Amino acid sequence: MAKKITSRDNDYSQWYLDIIKEAGLAEHSPVRGCMVIKPTGFALWENMRDVLDRMFKETGHQNAYFPLFIPKSFLSKEAQHVEGFAKECAVITHSRLINSEDGVDVDPSSKLEEELIVRPTSETIIWDTYRNWVQSHRDLPILINQWANVVRWEMRTRLFLRTMEFLWQEGHTAHATKEEAVQETEQMLEVYRTFAEEYMAMPVITGVKTESERFAGAVETYCIEALMQDGKALQAGTSHFLGQNFAKAFDVKFQDKDNTVKHVWATSWGVSTRLIGGLIMTHSDDDGLVLPPKIAPVQVAIVPIWKSDDDQQAVLDYAKGVQKELQSKGIRTKLDARDQYKPGWKFAQYEVEGVPLRIAVGPRDVQNNKAEIARRDTRSKEIVERDSLVGKVESLLDEIQNNLYDTAKERMATRTSTVSTYEEFKEILDSKGGFIYAHWDGTAETETKVKEETKATIRCIPLHSDNEPGKCMVTGKPSARKVLFARAY
RNA sequence: CGGGGCGUAGCGCAGCCCGGUAGCGCAUCUGCUUUGGGAGCAGAGGGUCGCAGGUUCAAAUCCUGUCGCCCCGACCA
């Protein structure tokens, strides 16, 4: 058996790339920093999207779509926002090509009067639009989400974790009061936390960002932070309270019940295909991808085994019966009856692809009215009675989902430390990495010093942790509470 | 954008130093035998050696440029 996947201990980055390649999730495109998301990878994204979309709608949001192109002038309206995104915008300057000796060239005569920006995020065009939608408090709140692609001209890219073009959803809401907007921000953070933990089986820490890590244009950025197997943190989702910054920049006002004119309060929130990278690095092992059942494109792969033609017919009929029954329970099932691959090859392949459960049925099983069922997460196998097979599958899928979460949760706990001195901090960072709780004096200077000296950043000020005051590990100045440090992706 | 590594068949690589008919393994195709953990034998197809210039009788090989990928830094979801 040819091992195609580099081990995590040997080279974690290469392992990550090998997983993506061997599981067929994505590949590099001819364009630098961009990727082709292959059917399996996209099916994963579709499942994530479907769950999130349902959760957004359950919390009262509607989908809409805003343009890919944003007038350049819009970007300059919110000062902080421009500063944050100016360095990574793709700019459209011309509208035509002309034939040339070497193929085609940009037609100089087609220069645009106002250049267009390919959206790095849609706040500006959305707030420009909302201005026309809001007059009265009766028009509020506006609760809109869009599924879209965005472009950020990154210097260094990694499949899923950071690509120049990526898929995401961005929610943009407008509210009459600050309290309502803050509540919305927190609600969506909670949606993300629930999604990450219950569907992705990815435990996260919720918190707020420090000023230096905050979204450009936000008053407060809430986030969910996950911990990867190599001890590095990954920002997995953000929810921003935008205050009235965009409302003021784009002049979005309403007449309130008290007959005065006010600016609206805003939020925005998003998760992206980066989550797929996080998913890979949370659960997968040296044998390939490992997927939580709730979002796995295929939950059960059925591998039929036969020797003679007679066997083949009987086995296939039996396997089809199993598949039909599983499908009737809403279980995503794939029956792999291809004859060009041997069962052993298929077993290995579905392990690489991370399919949570595999059922093997052969002549013996048909005869005895049984089937072999194997788990991807624990690699355990057992023979079960045909009559109890579907029930067993259902309970095993639940078990796998829970086991993946519990394992990840435990790993996070093991790799979370609390320190009181900077020496201890550096020592732990280098020895085991992970999340480190420590006191911080609240200044950007200290944060920068730690970042420069250790490459660790403050991932967040956790929402749920003890609020015991103490002394900053670096300066000894008073600190209201411990914050969460880590090296991050 | 700086430092390091790498681009040769779909994938993984050798050949390059020392220029002279482009190779190996896997995969693919055909046939037969196989099928409960990545099958065996026999035969076959597939490459403008990343791209563009240059040196040379002759370039995968030497020179210059350029593009892309990976790793490490500065930027980021």
Side-chain angles (χ1 to χ4, degrees), chain A residues 291-303 319 322-327 329-336 350 353-361 371-376 389-390 392-398 400:
Chain A
L291 293 173
K294 283 188 183 175
I295 56 160
V298 174
Q299 295 170 306
V300 181
I302 303 173
V303 178
V322 171
Q323 180 184 33
K324 206 172 169 192
E325 198 179 337
L326 288 171
Q327 283 174 335
K329 297 283 184 182
I331 296 166
R332 296 186 289 274
T333 309
K334 175 177 171 181
L335 170 58
D336 188 349
Y350 290 118
E353 291 177 12
V355 176
L357 281 179
R358 178 189 74 232
I359 293 174
V361 293
E372 182 195 78
I373 185 160
R375 291 171 63 153
R376 174 63 180 87
L389 183 60
V390 173
K392 186 71 184 174
V393 166
E394 286 179 313
S395 64
L396 278 179
L397 288 175
D398 282 346
I400 293 170

Side-chain angles (χ1 to χ4, degrees), chain A residues 89 103 157 241 250 287 404:
Chain A
C89 285
T157 58
F241 169 59
F250 288 88
D287 294 322
L404 290 179

Side-chain angles (χ1 to χ4, degrees), chain A residues 209-484:
Chain A
K209 288 291 187 187
T210 62
E211 191 179 348
S212 62
E213 298 275 331
R214 203 175 282 157
F215 174 75
V219 172
E220 195 82 272
T221 287
Y222 293 67
C223 62
I224 53 172
E225 291 284 327
L227 191 63
M228 305 295 100
Q229 291 180 42
D230 63 347
K232 286 171 82 173
L234 182 78
Q235 179 174 311
T238 49
S239 182
H240 313 290
F241 169 59
L242 301 173
Q244 293 175 306
N245 291 346
F246 285 91
K248 285 176 179 164
F250 288 88
D251 200 28
V252 184
K253 291 181 287 199
F254 70 100
Q255 197 161 12
D256 209 348
K257 290 170 191 167
D258 62 9
N259 222 13
T260 63
V261 174
K262 298 170 181 169
H263 285 106
V264 303
W265 297 83
T267 81
S268 69
W269 28 274
V271 296
S272 72
T273 36
R274 167 177 255 205
L275 277 176
I276 295 175
L279 187 73
I280 294 165
M281 290 196 289
T282 299
H283 303 302
S284 301
D285 60 28
D286 288 350
D287 294 322
L289 192 62
V290 176
L291 293 173
K294 283 188 183 175
I295 56 160
V298 174
Q299 295 170 306
V300 181
I302 303 173
V303 178
I305 300 160
W306 56 74
K307 285 196 171 86
S308 68
D309 287 353
D310 287 349
D311 287 345
Q312 177 170 1
Q313 199 49 59
V315 165
L316 270 182
D317 287 345
Y318 189 83
K320 279 177 188 165
V322 171
Q323 180 184 33
K324 206 172 169 192
E325 198 179 337
L326 288 171
Q327 283 174 335
S328 74
K329 297 283 184 182
I331 296 166
R332 296 186 289 274
T333 309
K334 175 177 171 181
L335 170 58
D336 188 349
R338 291 177 295 177
D339 201 21
Q340 67 264 40
Y341 296 112
K342 294 184 64 170
W345 187 90
K346 294 176 187 172
F347 293 173
Q349 188 58 29
Y350 290 118
E351 277 154 20
V352 170
E353 291 177 12
V355 176
L357 281 179
R358 178 189 74 232
I359 293 174
V361 293
R364 276 206 311 262
D365 302 303
V366 175
Q367 189 137 46
N368 304 330
N369 224 27
K370 293 183 182 202
E372 182 195 78
I373 185 160
R375 291 171 63 153
R376 174 63 180 87
D377 60 337
T378 60
R379 310 296 291 269
S380 63
K381 289 192 271 200
E382 61 181 306
I383 307 286
V384 299
E385 295 289 337
R386 174 65 183 84
D387 290 344
S388 57
L389 183 60
V390 173
K392 186 71 184 174
V393 166
E394 286 179 313
S395 64
L396 278 179
L397 288 175
D398 282 346
E399 262 183 57
I400 293 170
Q401 184 79 31
N402 293 333
N403 179 47
L404 290 179
Y405 178 75
D406 292 343
T407 304
K409 182 101 178 168
E410 198 180 313
R411 188 187 316 115
M412 181 190 271
T414 305
R415 303 196 85 163
T416 299
S417 314
T418 302
V419 303
S420 49
T421 69
Y422 194 30
E423 287 311 308
E424 205 183 342
F425 177 83
K426 288 189 265 197
E427 196 277 313
I428 286 179
L429 199 58
D430 287 333
S431 60
K432 73 171 193 177
F435 283 144
I436 305 177
Y437 284 100
H439 278 293
W440 165 60
D441 63 17
T443 67
E445 289 74 34
T446 302
E447 195 180 1
T448 306
K449 178 180 158 75
V450 172
K451 186 177 178 182
E452 283 174 357
E453 292 177 357
T454 68
K455 290 179 215 160
T457 50
I458 298 176
R459 300 319 302 156
C460 69
I461 301 160
L463 295 180
H464 309 286
S465 69
D466 64 68
N467 278 339
E468 265 185 47
K471 285 181 181 172
C472 173
M473 68 166 174
V474 179
T475 63
K477 289 181 193 163
S479 154
R481 66 184 71 77
K482 293 191 189 79
V483 298
L484 189 63

